[in-house]
Amino acid sequence: LRIHITPLKGANGRKMGVVCLMRDVTEQKRLEQIRTEFVANVSHELRTPLTSINGFLETLLDGAIDNPKVARNFLEIMNGESKRLSRLIDDLLKLSSLEDKKSSLNKQPVNLKELICETVKMLSARAQEKGIALTMAIPDDLPEVPGERGFLEQVLINLLDNAVKYTLSGGIIEIGALVNGKEIKVYVADTGIGIPEESLPRVFERFYRVDKARSRDMGGTGLGLAISKHIVEAHGGKIEVESDQEGSTFSFILPR
Ligand code: ADP
């Protein structure tokens, strides 16, 4: 609580009382804290790949470059880290552009079936490489939804990419859509490693990961689900997750 006290004086200069102004700054403090934490997280996330790249570079310059096998291994790691750094910067820019755009999406009728098919095509080679079966369950007469195509595509890519990342060889991923009254629900169900119950409410937070090391190894930025939530909510929809040891299902609902 922030309190301001101003004395009140009459015409003759005599004190007549005080004006006491109290303002609840809880929400303001909370927002400040979120912002501070976010900046600290961003700095940390940007520094981690850079530290790793610098370390390998120095070791190379100190002589490791003379051993071609070791040098190649280091260069591959540096390549992976620098790609992750670019992805991180792209994701941060996406988040901030979404924050700017919140109220001004450029909505057009979007053919979700077509969009899902394109996304599946984009990721099917990776799924196949990992020995994961990718199936679709989408009705032919799925109606169009009002939305910004590029953003909705981003959500589908994020969810499907995660399903491929967090599912082991031999697993199955199903992407489907259903019409429910005035809403359309899209889901991505996998038979992957699952998410512990206590982590479920946090997976949509920026930079939250169940297993930091695993996410990094997979090239993750920890921002995909935060971005997806932002996009779905900007479309007036809702995104949810259910998960147990048998796998996870991410779904989002969009108004028709
Ligand atoms: P990341 O870049 O780490 O994948 P996301 O924001 O996309 O970041 O996801 C946040 C975290 O949620 C991941 O690090 C992972 O722990 C968990 N997660 C997301 N999708 C899945 C999934 N399909 N199966 C298991 N865990 C998942």
Side-chain angles (χ1 to χ4, degrees), residues 162 165-166 190 195 203 208-210 215 220-222 224-225 248 250:
N162 278 349
K165 270 196 311 206
Y166 301 108
D190 65 50
I195 300 167
V203 290
Y208 182 83
R209 293 119 153 172
V210 177
S215 158
T221 62
L225 289 179
S248 313
F250 282 84

Side-chain angles (χ1 to χ4, degrees), residues 136-194:
M136 277 193 282
I138 301 159
D140 281 330
D141 56 351
L142 191 71
E144 295 184 320
V145 289
E148 193 162 328
R149 198 174 195 276
F151 282 137
L152 293 179
E153 181 180 22
Q154 187 66 58
V155 176
L156 291 169
I157 293 176
N158 289 349
L159 297 186
L160 210 52
D161 181 63
N162 278 349
V164 174
K165 270 196 311 206
Y166 301 108
T167 298
L168 306 176
S169 174
I172 301 168
I173 298 170
E174 178 172 295
I175 179 161
L178 359 134
V179 183
N180 193 354
K182 290 209 161 98
E183 294 170 336
I184 290 187
K185 178 176 180 167
V186 179
Y187 63 87
V188 178
D190 65 50
T191 59
I193 59 170

